[in-house]
Amino acid sequence: MGGSSGAGSSAFVDIGLEDLGDTGGIPVPWPAAPPPSGPPPWPEPGGNPRHRHAAPAGAMTAAVTRRRGGPGGRPDRRSTSAGQDGRTSQDGRTSQGAPAGDVGRGGEARGGTRPGGYNPALDGLRAIAVLCVLCYHMAALGGGYLGVDVFLVLSGFLITGLLLAERDRTGGISLKAFYVRRAFRLMPAYYAFVVIGAVLVVLLKTRADQLDFLDNAVTSLLYVNDYFRVFRPDSGGAWFGHVWSLSLEEQFYLLWPVVLVAICRREALARRLPAILLGGAVAVAVWRAALADLGTSGNRTYFALDTRSDSLLIGCALAAWLRASRLEARARGSRADGAPGVATGTAAGTGTAAGTGERVLARILAALPVAGPLALIALAVLVLTVPENGARTTIMDRGGYTGVALLAAALILALDQGRPAWLFRAIGCGPLAWLGRISYGFYLWHFPVTGFAGDKLVARLGRGPATVVAGLLAIGLAAASYYLLERPVQRRRPKWASGRSAPAQASGAAVPAARSAPVAAPAGETTLRLPGAVSLGRETTLRLRFPRRGSGGQAR
């Protein structure tokens, strides 16, 4: 997503742009934490290349009906369909109080413990970020390179949430499955991009351009192009000027799951995961500022993983903290109720039994309707006012990138929670969400497209119209890549790498939590829907807890 001369870069939202979903299985407690009572993510349907997925095809629905007894009693007419089948109320939230998309179309568990449905707002945010990067490379938006930082924070948030959700479901993290998913998601489109570029360079470019292409192709395919650009910042201008960010994220994908597995093996470290990640982000920011003060080139601080990973770590910390807060809320709800495995506390953790983490979560969630829009406004102002990146260090190297990452994290949290609803709907509108889904291909192809538009179209059309034409060309190429290559390849991904299988269920166990969903149960005739295929053994217990009349509570 650019360098000294340009800048920029999940289910699947991966490469910071697209991430694969890890779903299926039975949750197990985090080290020393009570078992989460709420449902984990729903199973991932095969072949839908998005980071959050549609409900499984052919899923069986189990219905349980209860009537209130007593003469003359009338069923409560309050509807629960929104929380059960994904239909939302006018404010964009389900009847469980979860953001629209959290329940309904199924998918990735954002934050690690609650059921995560497809969230169009996160795709919309990705689309806005990649459009900023395109405008930057068209010299139409000086601070558009900050789209890179938004991608990095979002990538850390999504990947960490998926890994923690897998551990909750299965008791561990399969590194082999994770890397296979990454390969199927990232490599086909990228290899096609390299091969097509090689053909065009051989046919149309000079020998010097061909040698430069070869250097960048080799370092890109080895995912070390970010450090190559530290020493050759002006290299790759015709085709590879943006792929340094893909190398940086691939290094993150390679290292972070291994580190997370190591942390999870030590209970004391696992409990402090959010603090460890935030400490790492601070250390990276200090290290970058120290290099800048020593007179290090801005190319060194901008391109390298060791000086840019604070954005990734902040996203990771957000996912880990959100998950830990929800586990605490559910654990305290279970203890207050007196029935292990059935939580009555809300996700915010309010009430007399709420712990410190729950109260902090509740206060932050209460502030999101204001904090989210303010974070978006602040990011917009920075995109218009930040200094251009280049060989000279700037204030961005001395804490600026960390500040941008924190603002991006606040905006991501607001969109993840659907607060405020108007912002959720605006950023998650259909066109932006669709562009976000194809943003990997858009990012791959936008750089050569902007090079062509800058050379051939700006003088004829003007910079603004040329930028629009470049965007349309990039969208066309991205759509072709998505529908003709990326999705067909995803359908051929091995099933064992999808994380759908669940551990063996003990005899007499309750209905697997991975196949259940939180359901609002008013005091009348109610239909409870359990998404996914529900397998019942010879001895199965279905435990439901209904609030007393007038209590205003919800079954969990």
Side-chain angles (χ1 to χ4, degrees):
M1 302 177 185
S4 59
S5 60
S9 162
S10 105
F12 294 178
V13 167
D14 235 347
I15 122 161
L17 299 156
E18 311 278 331
D19 296 342
L20 300 174
D22 296 347
T23 52
I26 299 175
V28 297
W30 189 248
S37 59
W42 297 346
E44 172 190 24
N48 184 7
R50 292 194 273 193
H51 66 287
R52 293 160 294 270
H53 319 288
M60 181 178 71
T61 300
V64 180
T65 303
R66 179 183 68 92
R67 289 184 180 274
R68 187 180 63 205
R74 293 184 301 171
D76 193 320
R77 297 299 182 184
R78 290 175 292 175
S79 172
T80 61
S81 61
Q84 297 155 2
D85 61 14
R87 295 190 295 272
T88 56
S89 60
Q90 291 182 353
D91 66 352
R93 303 178 64 79
T94 68
S95 63
Q96 272 73 44
D102 282 359
V103 180
R105 297 180 66 180
E108 133 202 329
R110 302 184 305 279
T113 58
R114 68 178 174 138
Y118 171 60
N119 187 337
L122 294 183
D123 270 337
L125 178 62
R126 182 175 297 104
I128 293 172
V130 80
L131 288 173
C132 287
V133 174
L134 179 138
C135 291
Y136 174 77
H137 287 136
M138 286 296 297
L141 189 62
Y145 64 89
L146 294 184
V148 178
D149 298 85
V150 175
F151 281 129
L152 295 179
V153 178
L154 187 57
S155 182
F157 175 70
L158 292 169
I159 288 295
T160 302
L162 292 171
L163 291 172
L164 292 178
E166 179 183 356
R167 191 185 190 283
D168 285 343
R169 290 191 311 272
T170 66
I173 297 172
S174 172
L175 297 179
K176 180 180 178 181
F178 177 83
Y179 294 134
V180 167
R181 291 194 299 271
R182 300 279 74 70
F184 270 78
R185 179 65 188 103
L186 306 179
M187 290 183 177
Y190 190 64
Y191 286 173
F193 172 78
V194 173
V195 169
I196 293 173
V199 173
L200 294 176
V201 168
V202 169
L203 294 177
L204 303 176
K205 295 294 183 177
T206 65
R207 181 170 179 80
D209 290 331
Q210 292 170 1
L211 292 176
D212 182 70
F213 181 94
L214 179 62
D215 290 340
N216 279 275
V218 171
T219 57
S220 298
L221 293 174
L222 295 175
Y223 291 106
V224 294
N225 187 259
D226 52 338
Y227 282 97
F228 176 75
R229 293 291 299 279
V230 169
F231 303 102
R232 297 269 302 276
D234 297 326
S235 180
W239 200 261
F240 289 106
H242 61 316
V243 300
W244 67 270
S245 62
L246 308 186
S247 294
L248 186 148
E249 291 206 47
E250 188 63 26
Q251 293 161 15
F252 163 70
Y253 295 148
L254 179 65
L255 298 175
W256 170 233
V258 177
V259 173
L260 181 59
V261 168
I263 291 176
C264 290
R265 289 176 178 173
R266 298 184 65 88
E267 180 179 322
L269 295 178
R271 288 179 174 178
R272 296 169 176 81
L273 181 60
I276 292 173
L277 291 167
L278 282 178
V282 171
V284 171
V286 171
W287 169 241
R288 182 176 58 232
L291 290 178
D293 290 339
L294 292 174
T296 302
S297 168
N299 296 319
R300 168 68 177 88
T301 58
Y302 184 77
F303 289 120
L305 176 68
D306 62 299
T307 53
R308 293 304 303 276
S309 56
D310 53 334
S311 297
L312 287 163
L313 293 173
I314 287 173
C316 296
L318 176 62
W321 168 79
L322 194 58
R323 174 192 174 281
S325 298
R326 287 169 176 157
L327 280 181
E328 180 182 351
R330 291 179 176 181
R332 289 187 174 274
S334 297
R335 289 196 293 269
D337 181 72
V342 179
T344 57
T346 64
T350 56
T352 58
T356 303
E358 297 174 78
R359 290 194 294 270
V360 171
L361 176 61
R363 291 169 184 169
I364 291 178
L365 295 183
L368 286 181
V370 175
L374 288 179
L376 179 61
I377 293 172
L379 287 172
V381 171
L382 288 173
V383 166
L384 296 174
T385 60
V386 295
E388 290 193 12
N389 63 328
R392 297 183 61 181
T393 57
T394 67
I395 190 174
M396 299 303 295
D397 299 287
R398 296 171 175 84
Y401 290 122
T402 306
V404 170
L406 291 173
L407 290 173
L411 179 57
I412 289 169
L413 181 60
L415 296 177
D416 179 73
Q417 299 297 310
R419 304 181 184 183
W422 65 264
L423 182 63
F424 179 91
R425 290 193 295 268
I427 296 183
C429 66
L432 285 178
W434 177 79
L435 180 56
R437 291 195 294 274
I438 66 171
S439 58
Y440 179 31
F442 185 100
Y443 183 71
L444 283 176
W445 288 101
H446 89 278
F447 189 79
V449 167
T450 55
F452 165 79
D455 293 340
K456 306 296 184 181
L457 300 181
V458 171
R460 298 180 181 180
L461 304 178
R463 192 164 303 279
T467 300
V468 174
V469 172
L472 294 176
L473 290 174
I475 289 174
L477 291 170
S481 173
Y482 182 75
Y483 291 108
L484 300 180
L485 179 60
E486 297 171 50
R487 291 187 67 178
V489 168
Q490 285 297 322
R491 294 189 183 101
R492 290 164 175 78
R493 189 180 68 188
K495 292 183 179 180
W496 61 264
S498 300
R500 301 171 191 169
S501 59
Q505 182 76 357
S507 176
V511 175
R515 306 295 189 186
S516 64
V519 182
E525 182 177 16
T526 305
T527 298
L528 309 184
R529 301 180 185 274
L530 306 179
V534 180
S535 299
L536 303 180
R538 288 178 298 177
E539 294 184 11
T540 302
T541 301
L542 179 61
R543 176 179 294 177
L544 302 176
R545 180 168 295 277
F546 299 92
R548 291 190 178 93
R549 183 179 181 183
S551 65
Q554 291 180 335
R556 300 291 295 178

